[in-house]
């Protein structure tokens, strides 16, 4: 199954990246011309930096919020189950449906969120998704809101595996809540932090669904990511060889960043 649905498509895409192929005529061997063309393609570099910006903002914000929610919801209080469900629910809903709903919420004419923001003086005439300066923050917000619940559950599982005796011993030593969090909770959640950080980074570097539905990469390609560029070059412009080359560059980029992140966090991981 892995060979059929993963290895074979990767090998085939690698071959296509070395050809000029438009789905109509036979593939023409061009060697590394597609990769050389990427170096001077403004569309590629625009999508590359958009992807970097999206990942640099969404990944740390998602990880920090997931940890904060997990710590808050690990305590017993009335309504805790409802709060956990409410935060986790967006993750299991179709991303396309969520993107459509948020598109309506952010609409400057009929959007409820836009109306609330206008009541406190935050107004944008063009609209969140049509303003070149606000479109990227808008899709970032939806990306965080969508995935934070999933990573919160991972952190909750880690918090519930920490023995209460450690907190009791630290409390007897006269430590404050902040010190217990820094010296007990964070070190014992290092494995969960490693997992969450790598998963969140990979997800943000592959962002496509919600951005495609909400902005189609606009306005003025301000929200076009590498995956969206692959889709545009391959399925809209029928440059499958060029799109395959972009996909392999993205694959290498994700792999290198993931390994660097894994190595950096692994040194701080604690196996309890």
């Amino acid at each position: 199954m892995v060979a059929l649905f993963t290895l074979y498509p990767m090998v085939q895409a690698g071959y296509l990246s070395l050809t000029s192929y438009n789905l109509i005529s036979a593939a023409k061997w061009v060697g590394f011309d597609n990769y050389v063309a990427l170096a001077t393609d403004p569309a590629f570099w625009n999508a590359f930096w958009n992807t970097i910006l999206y990942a640099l903002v969404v990944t740390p914000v998602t990880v920090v919020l997931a940890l904060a929610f997990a710590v808050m919801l690990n305590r017993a209080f009335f309504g805790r189950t409802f709060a956990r469900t409410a935060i986790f629910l967006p993750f299991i809903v179709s991303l396309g449906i969520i993107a459509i709903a948020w598109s309506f919420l952010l609409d400057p004419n009929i959007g409820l969120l836009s109306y609330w923001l206008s009541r406190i003086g935050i107004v944008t005439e063009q609209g969140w998704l049509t303003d070149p300066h606000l479109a990227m923050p808008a899709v970032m917000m939806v990306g965080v809101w969508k995935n934070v619940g999933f990573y919160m559950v991972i952190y909750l599982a880690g918090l519930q595996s920490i023995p209460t005796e450690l907190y009791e011993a630290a409390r007897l030593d006269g430590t404050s809540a902040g010190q217990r969090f820094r010296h007990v909770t964070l070190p014992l959640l290092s494995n969960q932090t490693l997992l969450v950080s790598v998963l969140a980074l990979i997800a943000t570097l592959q962002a496509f669904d919600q951005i495609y539905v909400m902005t189609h990469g606009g306005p003025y390609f301000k929200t076009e990511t590498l995956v969206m560029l692959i889709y545009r070059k391959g399925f809209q412009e029928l440059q499958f060889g060029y799109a395959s080359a972009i996909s392999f560059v993205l694959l290498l980029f994700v792999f290198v960043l993931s390994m660097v992140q894994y190595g950096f966090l692994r040194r701080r991981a604690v196996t309890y």
Side-chain angles (χ1 to χ4, degrees), residues 9-18 34-35 38 44 47-48 205-206 225-235 239-256:
M10 286 182 63
V11 172
Q12 186 67 12
Y15 166 74
L16 287 178
S17 72
L18 302 173
N34 289 326
Y35 294 95
L38 287 178
F44 169 78
F48 177 82
L205 291 174
Q206 296 177 342
T225 60
L226 283 174
V227 179
M228 289 199 64
L229 180 63
I230 293 170
Y231 175 82
R232 177 162 68 89
K233 290 295 183 180
F235 294 97
Q239 299 180 31
F240 283 94
Y242 195 69
S244 298
I246 300 173
S247 69
F248 261 78
V249 171
L250 176 61
L251 171 65
L252 179 63
F253 184 61
V254 171
F255 176 77
V256 171

Side-chain angles (χ1 to χ4, degrees), residues 8-104:
Y8 174 74
M10 286 182 63
V11 172
Q12 186 67 12
Y15 166 74
L16 287 178
S17 72
L18 302 173
T19 67
S20 175
Y21 180 55
N22 60 8
L23 199 64
I24 300 173
S25 58
K28 178 183 177 181
W29 183 265
V30 296
F32 291 97
D33 288 358
N34 289 326
Y35 294 95
V36 174
L38 287 178
T40 57
D41 186 357
F44 169 78
W45 288 111
N46 174 71
F48 177 82
W49 290 117
N50 285 340
T51 303
I52 292 294
L53 175 63
Y54 185 87
L56 286 178
V57 174
V58 174
T59 301
V61 171
T62 303
V63 173
V64 171
L65 282 179
L67 177 58
F69 283 137
V71 171
M72 288 188 294
L73 297 178
N74 193 45
R75 302 184 179 94
F77 61 89
F78 178 76
R80 181 178 67 169
T81 301
F82 173 79
R84 286 179 175 180
T85 304
I87 296 174
F88 180 74
L89 187 61
F91 178 75
I92 63 175
V93 179
S94 168
L95 192 53
I97 294 174
I98 284 178
I100 293 172
W102 274 99
S103 297
F104 280 105

Side-chain angles (χ1 to χ4, degrees), residues 117-166:
L117 292 174
S118 67
R119 299 291 290 180
I120 60 175
I122 303 177
V123 181
T124 170
E125 295 181 357
Q126 289 184 281
W128 286 82
L129 302 179
T130 54
D131 189 319
H133 302 293
L134 296 177
M136 181 60 84
V139 296
M140 287 176 177
M141 175 181 64
V142 175
V144 172
W145 179 81
K146 160 72 175 176
N147 294 312
V148 70
F150 171 68
Y151 303 125
M152 177 196 70
V153 170
I154 296 176
Y155 272 126
L156 276 173
L159 285 170
Q160 292 172 5
S161 68
I162 299 176
T164 57
E165 293 84 358
L166 296 178

